[in-house]
Amino acid sequence: GAVVSQHPSRVICKSGTSVKIECRSLDFQATTMFWYRQFPKQSLMLMATSNEGSKATYEQGVEKDKFLINHASLTLSTLTVTSAHPEDSSFYICSARGRGLHLTDTQYFGPGTRLTVL
Amino acid sequence: GENVEQHPSTLSVQEGDSAVIKCTYSDSASNYFPWYKQELGKGPQLIIDIRSNVGEKKDQRIAVTLNKTAKHFSLHITETQPEDSAVYFCAASNNQGGKLIFGQGTELSVKP
């Protein structure tokens, strides 16, 4: 149980284009989803927290107009990187916690999406 | 806000030896401490967690200890195997909003 999937696993795009990453909880209802960014050899940096049906809460320094988050259902959250630039190239990881799990505060992570902006 | 410090940044052990990774946290309100294992190119995988109402938890070769007074917690891996090689992250949360604050990570290498 507690499986989180992400799609795509890797994406290469041109500078100026937008990229959408999907995060799904497969066997539980995700009341809260989190989006992280991770640069090589570094720790995970929280970008935003999203609760189902409400607007995402962004961490300080994260541009909400550039990183659009939609948590439209209890099993799906999307992150759209708008007008991507090479400096947005990174490993993006989502996590989820919620109902249907033995302990609701545990976060389960997806496999990550490698974004490369040319 | 919460700050989590993790040591060491790299750790190399011989197969069969034990490995210990230590973390300290700053927010006394933190009450949940998970440990994640991350293999190259993959997402973090929860390996064990502990809540503030217990001092120790064990799951086969993995154990975690928590000292609330000193605000530190540790991961212990016994009888290490080459497949234990990965980056390990500690984290802390006070359950307000569920945000996890991560340590810097420890790259564990188990040599056969």
Side-chain angles (χ1 to χ4, degrees):
Chain A
V3 179
V4 177
S5 70
Q6 274 184 249
H7 179 80
S9 58
R10 60 177 62 233
V11 56
I12 301 172
C13 69
K14 293 181 179 180
S15 186
T17 60
S18 294
V19 174
K20 181 184 284 189
I21 302 170
E22 292 185 350
C23 176
R24 294 181 186 273
S25 57
L26 300 185
D27 51 3
F28 66 99
Q29 293 180 323
T31 51
T32 308
M33 283 185 167
F34 305 84
W35 286 95
Y36 296 82
R37 184 163 58 178
Q38 186 179 36
F39 292 106
K41 301 272 187 187
Q42 293 189 20
S43 188
L44 289 82
M45 293 187 59
L46 180 65
M47 299 174 66
T49 302
S50 75
N51 293 297
E52 187 264 341
S54 62
K55 290 184 178 180
T57 302
Y58 290 80
E59 294 299 301
Q60 193 172 9
V62 178
E63 299 175 57
K64 62 179 181 180
D65 294 329
K66 181 169 184 60
F67 299 100
L68 302 178
I69 291 171
N70 188 322
H71 191 165
S73 78
L74 281 171
T75 59
L76 173 65
S77 176
T78 61
L79 167 68
T80 301
V81 183
T82 62
S83 186
H85 291 287
E87 56 266 30
D88 298 323
S89 299
S90 188
F91 193 50
Y92 291 87
I93 316 171
C94 71
S95 72
R97 65 171 197 169
R99 296 196 288 265
L101 299 171
H102 174 59
L103 294 162
T104 57
D105 56 356
T106 302
Q107 284 189 36
Y108 295 91
F109 283 80
T113 297
R114 172 75 58 194
L115 170 64
T116 302
V117 185
L118 302 176
Chain B
E2 173 69 284
N3 183 49
V4 177
E5 295 287 332
Q6 182 174 346
H7 299 281
S9 57
T10 60
L11 179 59
S12 181
V13 300
Q14 209 65 34
E15 181 178 1
D17 288 349
S18 295
V20 180
I21 303 171
K22 298 182 179 181
C23 289
T24 60
Y25 61 98
S26 60
D27 187 353
S28 56
S30 292
N31 57 8
Y32 175 60
F33 309 91
W35 286 88
Y36 289 89
K37 174 184 180 182
Q38 187 179 28
E39 297 177 342
L40 192 62
K42 298 184 179 180
Q45 178 187 8
L46 180 70
I47 56 172
I48 196 168
D49 56 11
I50 191 168
R51 288 170 173 80
S52 58
N53 56 345
V54 298
E56 184 174 357
K57 184 177 178 181
K58 190 174 181 180
D59 182 5
Q60 299 182 350
R61 296 187 296 110
I62 295 173
V64 57
T65 58
L66 171 65
N67 183 326
K68 287 173 56 181
T69 304
K71 289 190 278 189
H72 67 70
F73 56 112
S74 301
L75 177 72
H76 303 252
I77 306 174
T78 59
E79 301 173 32
T80 54
Q81 301 166 3
E83 49 265 39
D84 294 330
S85 297
V87 179
Y88 290 81
F89 290 98
C90 64
S93 168
N94 63 12
N95 266 335
Q96 290 186 3
K99 286 170 54 172
L100 287 176
I101 307 300
F102 282 86
Q104 297 84 352
T106 296
E107 185 172 2
L108 173 64
S109 175
V110 181
K111 300 192 182 303

